[in-house]
Structure formats: C-alpha cells, structure tokens
Amino acid sequence: GISYVQPLLRNFRVDSKRHSINVAKKRLEQSDATFRTLVNATITGVQTAYWDYVFTLRNQQNQVANVALARENLRQVEVRIAAGAAAPLERAELATELANREGELLLATQQVSVAENALKGLILRDPLSNEWSQSIVPTDRPAFGSDPVNLDAALKDAMDNRFELRSLKLQNEINAADIRFY
C-alpha cells in the first residue's frame, strides 16, 4: 500500500513568497532597531565621558582651592609661631595636612588626564592626530532642575526609545509568522 498526505490548507493564506517578504520586512525593521540601539549606546557613552571629564575638572579645581587654603593656614600659623601665640607642633600638623592635600591634587590631576583621554578615545579616530595633544575645554555646564516629572509620559517615552525591546518584539513577530507558515 501507498499512502499520500496532502495538507489541504497549506499555502492557503500565506505562501512561501509572501512569508519570505514579510520576514524580510521584519528583519529590515529589526536591523534598523539594532542600529538605533548602537547609536544610542555610542551617544550615551560620549555624553557620560564628557560629564565625567567636566566633573573631574571641577574636582581638580576644588583640590587646587584646598591646597591654597592649606598653604594659607600654614602661613598664618607661621606668623603666630613667630609672634609666640602658637606652638611649633601646629606647624607640623598643618604641614602634614598640606602634603595630604597636595597628594589629593596630584590624584585629581591624574583623573582629569584619564577622563580626557577616555573622551578623546570616543570622539577621535586616530590616536596619532594633532587633536590628541590639545586639551579639551568643556563649554556646557551641568543643569539641575526641580521640575516635577510626569511618570506616565516618562515611562511611555522610555518604552518608545528602547530599540532593543523593539528588536525583540520584531523577533517574536517573525517567530509567529514562521509558526503560521509551517
């Protein structure tokens, strides 16, 4: 005996050509979503590196002010010791404090160099270019606002701009189309 099975509804609604076209459209949308995800990640990385650089510069400025303040305190104690109003032990205490603050200034200066090089690494193609030797001068200042946030609008905006979620949704649609076809 011979048996032959022919599914009656195969290719009734979706044939192989339409299925291939639909899957290709979804894959195109998926590659667009993946591209947008990469662009967002790159922009976020550059913005983060920029603000890290700005904040390390501010930290360095604070450390310079701390060293100047420690030097001024040491100078005032030297004057009081010379006048006989302070013990020489205070000089040693303030000299130690000055040395500690100078060490913190050196660390802050190193952090500025590291943050600047990280930013240059993201925005410059060639590490041998002339721009690597130039210092970056930030122009933007951080802005802080106390405006109330509309939670529903923020969540909707976040979900609309999560392209990796869009890519996963498209993959689910492709899987559903495959199940319908096969």
Side-chain angles (χ1 to χ4, degrees):
I2 297 175
S3 68
Y4 178 74
V5 177
Q6 172 64 38
L8 295 176
L9 297 178
R10 178 173 281 176
N11 297 334
F12 180 68
R13 289 187 181 197
V14 178
D15 59 7
S16 64
K17 290 180 176 45
R18 286 188 189 128
H19 172 71
S20 298
I21 290 171
N22 287 335
V23 168
K25 285 180 183 177
K26 299 283 185 201
R27 294 217 189 275
L28 180 64
E29 290 179 42
Q30 195 174 29
S31 66
D32 180 58
T34 303
F35 172 74
R36 289 177 186 267
T37 301
L38 291 173
V39 168
N40 278 345
T42 303
I43 290 170
T44 301
V46 170
Q47 287 177 341
T48 301
Y50 176 82
W51 290 115
D52 286 346
Y53 178 60
V54 168
F55 291 133
T56 56
L57 280 175
R58 283 200 174 181
N59 183 40
Q60 183 186 32
Q61 292 169 352
N62 290 340
Q63 296 303 327
V64 167
N66 287 343
V67 167
L69 182 62
R71 284 190 180 136
E72 178 61 25
N73 286 343
L74 184 60
R75 187 193 65 76
Q76 288 177 1
V77 165
E78 291 286 339
V79 170
R80 289 191 309 176
I81 289 173
L89 183 61
E90 287 184 44
R91 178 185 315 132
E93 183 180 314
L94 288 175
T96 303
E97 181 66 27
L98 177 61
N100 288 340
R101 291 190 181 192
E102 286 173 342
E104 290 171 359
L105 175 60
L106 290 174
L107 181 62
T109 304
Q110 179 187 9
Q111 289 173 343
V112 166
S113 296
V114 168
E116 184 178 22
N117 287 338
L119 180 60
K120 285 179 182 178
L122 291 172
I123 61 175
L124 297 175
R125 283 188 185 176
D126 184 18
L128 301 175
S129 67
N130 294 333
E131 287 86 10
W132 272 92
S133 61
Q134 298 174 355
S135 180
I136 296 176
V137 179
T139 56
D140 293 343
R141 298 195 177 273
F144 302 100
S146 61
D147 299 333
V149 176
N150 182 355
L151 185 61
D152 293 332
L155 286 174
K156 182 185 180 313
D157 188 43
M159 294 307 267
D160 290 343
N161 291 317
R162 294 291 303 266
F163 296 107
E164 62 272 12
L165 294 178
R166 176 75 178 140
S167 179
L168 291 174
K169 181 180 176 189
L170 288 168
Q171 185 59 47
N172 282 343
E173 291 175 8
I174 290 171
N175 292 344
D178 285 343
I179 289 171
R180 276 192 311 267
F181 177 68
Y182 294 115

